[in-house]
Amino acid sequence: MMNYFPDEVLEHVFDSIASHKDRNSVSLVCKSWYRIERYSRRRVFIGNCYSISPERLIARFPGLKSLTLKGKPHFADFNLVPYDWGGFVYPWIKALAESGIGLEELRLKRMVVSDESLELLSKSFANFKSLVLVSCEGFSADGLAAVAANCRFLRELDLQENEVDDHRGHWLSCFPESCTSLVSLNFACLKGEVNLGALERLVSRSPNLKSLRLNRLVPLDTLQKLLMRAPQLVDLGIGSYVHDPSSEASNKLKHAIQRCKSIVSLSGFLEVAPRCMSAIYPICGNLTTLNLSYAPGLHGNKLTKLIQHCRKLQRLWILDRIGDKGLGVVASTCKELQELRVFPSDPFGAGNDAVTEEGLVLVSAGCPKLNSLLYFCQQMTNAALITVARNCPNFIRFRLCILDPVKPDPVTNQPLDEGFGAIVQSCKRLKRLSLSGLLTDQVFLYIGMYAEQLEMLSIAFAADSDKGMLYVLNGCKKLRKLEIRDCPFGNSALLEDVGKYETMRSLWMSSCEVTLGGCKTVAEKMPSLNVEIINESDQTEFNLDEGQKVDKMYLYRTLVGHRKDAPESVWIL
Amino acid sequence: MSSENGKLLPETDAGGLNFEATELTLGLPGESRVTSDGVAKLGSKRGFSETVDLSLGDNKNTNKFGQSQIDVPEAAKSPVSKAQVVGWPPVRGYAKRRTKSCKYVKVAVDGAPYLRKVDLEMYNTYQQLLTSLEDMFSCFTIRNYLSDKKLDQVNGIEYVPTYEDKDGDWMLVGDVPWQMFVESCKRLRLMKSSEAVGLAPRTPPKCSSAS
């Protein structure tokens, strides 16, 4: 019946389908739907930049406006991937530029972005509006200057946790006077000074500015001036927040902050004097997002007093200096809390300040809407996890990191199998899980049995045998990303069902028991996978012994075969 | 639970595996990760043994990892710090900015019966530090070379702020940029002005902006 609708009608219907997954499904229905869908597709998400080529992307979606690309595997965040592994954005920008595609938005994560790419980007797309770079590297303030100078209709420049090489601050001055379209500006991760006058003028002429995140070197008096000029802000990232509470500067700041009645998201405090937090209290009641994870100086009473003002909080990112008691305050204050992230303030130290299972139990009891957790802690017990599972059956993301890699339940000395088992059994919507602590094959049996919606699993220092990995591969039908380090999984687990890997985005295994021979077998049987061996040792030649254990293996499905840009340390089988 | 669990209790001997409790081994593929003593056999990971030496002492802390020596040259100085494994805990390198640990230094004041400690990371400028020290030692007056004006005298005794730097030398507070001072200061001493005769300059030293 749908065949009798003109294309425009179908297009209109498809327009209302936003989810990538759904649009992908739509395109598979029949040829005409495929055709209509591809011409009307505006946003594309590519979770692994090596799974497809820019040319094929352009050929299929000529109407593309927004592209999201991810590069390096997740464990690159923890220094497990060589810096030159890959993930270069330049070929994408070059291809898009040459194709005449009207790119408006580019979102990159863990990619290498050179100044050259940013320059090319800035000059190639007349309507370019939005650049979001997360955990990227390879560029300097010069690249930013090019974007500022050339993207006449820029709305969003959002830099999150990037490693930026050079810190000359003139890039802000490169926004022309005619640029008044900014909605979002985030340069919190830059280490260098910026031209404060240029910043003030830029903010003054950006009436649509909703999100502003400053870096550490923006001093308090500038902050105050910016807030006076932009009381319409919705999201604020404070750079330096050090002042004398009794001073004139502090009074002016209080006044400026109070005018910002729309701020619902607060972050930064990259430099903070805790006794000054009371100036923030007037806006705390509106906050739905609060990120204090860059403020190690904020703890104890000053921190809990602040939190007590934040009754509407939905998302809280905090350091473990908050302690179990502080989490108790969160539990009794933040009844709307959905996402909690507790980061370690001293990851390699004795952990005196850290949180334990007690804090987590308190939050689970007080915050029934909790659905997303990242929790670095000193220790965890099965009893606590079972309680948490009962209190919060809605977890979508559950990432627990016990700082000591193989720590058992300190009360019973048992592994944490039962605790995590309770989590997966109770949380039927669980999509992402990270395990830690002492774990045997048993936990994987539970995961395979119960974690039906699981898409991403991170495992470290766990399991007793191949059975662990097999339980997961056999049981988790929706698994997309599996990353494993330091587990006794070998070839028989790896090779049991190589077809499974085609249903997944990627598999990472490092310091496991798989051998070169095993990896080669996967590569031979599955031409649709790239199997990469990463060898960072000093030896210039790969040891060709098939029985040699592989240090790091990263395999991923791809439509375009072996990539050509791999460095010496990466061998694609 | 299955009998596999038994392997994890220190008392049970699952038999068949004879390993010295303190010895790291490279296990064969498929072997249990846990020895008969219930020691988590992390040594079965290649490369790990280069990173960490496991030694089990009498350890009330049930964490088998509790006491460990660290082999790697850049390891922490403390002998009881946790084993450092590459990429663990899984925090982003960028996120290490969060781990600015406090820089507590001792503050000694000539004539005071006990010392205090201050966290230099709490301050941004010399002025803030000196103000705070004044609060702490409220009966004393600290000569403030930076502002070139005397602070209110309470009991008529002036003190000169000095600090011991990384090289062990006693320096006058205020000469170097603040951050440099924070990094090199090991402890503070408020020296009586009378003792500082000949050492303390009559004119304030040139120093770059206190921040």
Side-chain angles (χ1 to χ4, degrees), chain A residues 134-286:
Chain A
V134 180
S135 304
C136 295
E137 62 192 352
F139 62 100
S140 75
D142 291 345
L144 299 177
V147 172
N150 301 324
C151 300
R152 292 166 53 217
F153 303 113
L154 195 69
R155 288 199 201 147
E156 182 174 24
L157 180 60
D158 185 0
L159 308 170
Q160 298 177 31
E161 303 213 342
N162 302 289
E163 293 290 339
V164 186
D165 292 337
D166 177 9
H167 307 297
R168 286 182 305 194
H170 74 290
W171 64 277
L172 258 180
S173 323
C174 294
F175 282 104
E177 288 300 313
S178 54
C179 175
T180 57
S181 46
L182 270 183
V183 173
S184 168
L185 178 64
N186 173 4
F187 60 95
C189 65
L190 295 190
K191 298 192 188 94
E193 290 184 351
V194 290
N195 182 329
L196 300 176
L199 176 59
E200 286 173 43
R201 288 190 296 278
L202 179 62
V203 168
S204 299
R205 64 177 186 275
S206 303
N208 298 321
L209 193 68
K210 292 280 185 292
S211 169
L212 178 64
R213 297 193 183 189
L214 310 169
N215 78 349
R216 200 169 197 247
L217 296 180
V218 176
L220 199 85
D221 56 337
T222 305
L223 171 65
Q224 183 262 332
K225 288 185 201 156
L226 294 172
L227 292 178
M228 290 300 284
R229 295 188 210 290
Q232 76 282 3
L233 282 178
V234 166
D235 168 34
L236 174 64
I238 290 180
S240 173
Y241 191 73
V242 178
H243 50 101
D244 183 350
S246 56
S247 66
E248 178 60 25
S250 187
N251 281 337
K252 284 172 83 170
L253 180 70
K254 271 187 212 165
H255 172 65
I257 288 178
Q258 275 169 346
R259 290 178 72 231
C260 298
K261 300 195 192 299
S262 307
I263 293 182
V264 295
S265 166
L266 190 59
S267 62
F269 297 97
L270 306 176
E271 210 170 57
V272 63
R275 51 208 164 100
C276 310
M277 297 312 286
S278 54
I280 302 285
Y281 292 168
I283 55 167
C284 284
N286 295 331

Side-chain angles (χ1 to χ4, degrees), chain A residues 270-403:
Chain A
L270 306 176
E271 210 170 57
V272 63
R275 51 208 164 100
C276 310
M277 297 312 286
S278 54
I280 302 285
Y281 292 168
I283 55 167
C284 284
N286 295 331
L287 292 180
T288 56
T289 299
L290 179 60
N291 182 352
L292 298 173
S293 65
Y294 286 101
L298 199 53
H299 56 98
N301 284 344
K302 299 282 189 291
L303 176 56
T304 46
K305 269 188 95 173
L306 178 69
I307 290 186
Q308 278 168 329
H309 284 82
C310 303
R311 307 204 141 264
K312 285 196 191 162
L313 223 49
Q314 293 173 18
R315 184 187 293 142
L316 175 63
W317 292 21
I318 197 87
L319 287 173
D320 60 2
R321 303 196 76 183
I322 190 174
D324 290 329
K325 279 220 191 93
L327 288 176
V329 174
V330 173
S332 49
T333 310
C334 310
K335 297 302 181 186
E336 301 297 313
L337 197 69
Q338 293 177 31
E339 176 177 325
L340 175 66
R341 296 198 187 188
V342 180
F343 293 95
S345 55
D346 194 9
F348 308 111
N352 292 325
D353 282 331
V355 294
T356 71
E357 74 278 8
E358 290 180 15
L360 183 59
V361 169
L362 288 172
V363 174
S364 74
C367 309
K369 295 187 183 179
L370 197 63
N371 62 40
S372 176
L373 181 75
L374 173 61
Y375 196 75
F376 285 83
C377 58
Q378 270 293 89
Q379 61 182 47
M380 185 54 57
T381 64
N382 283 312
L385 283 174
I386 290 168
T387 305
V388 169
R390 196 174 52 234
N391 291 340
C392 295
N394 296 318
F395 275 115
I396 299 172
R397 274 169 241 104
F398 191 88
R399 298 159 67 189
L400 188 71
C401 179
I402 302 167
L403 292 170

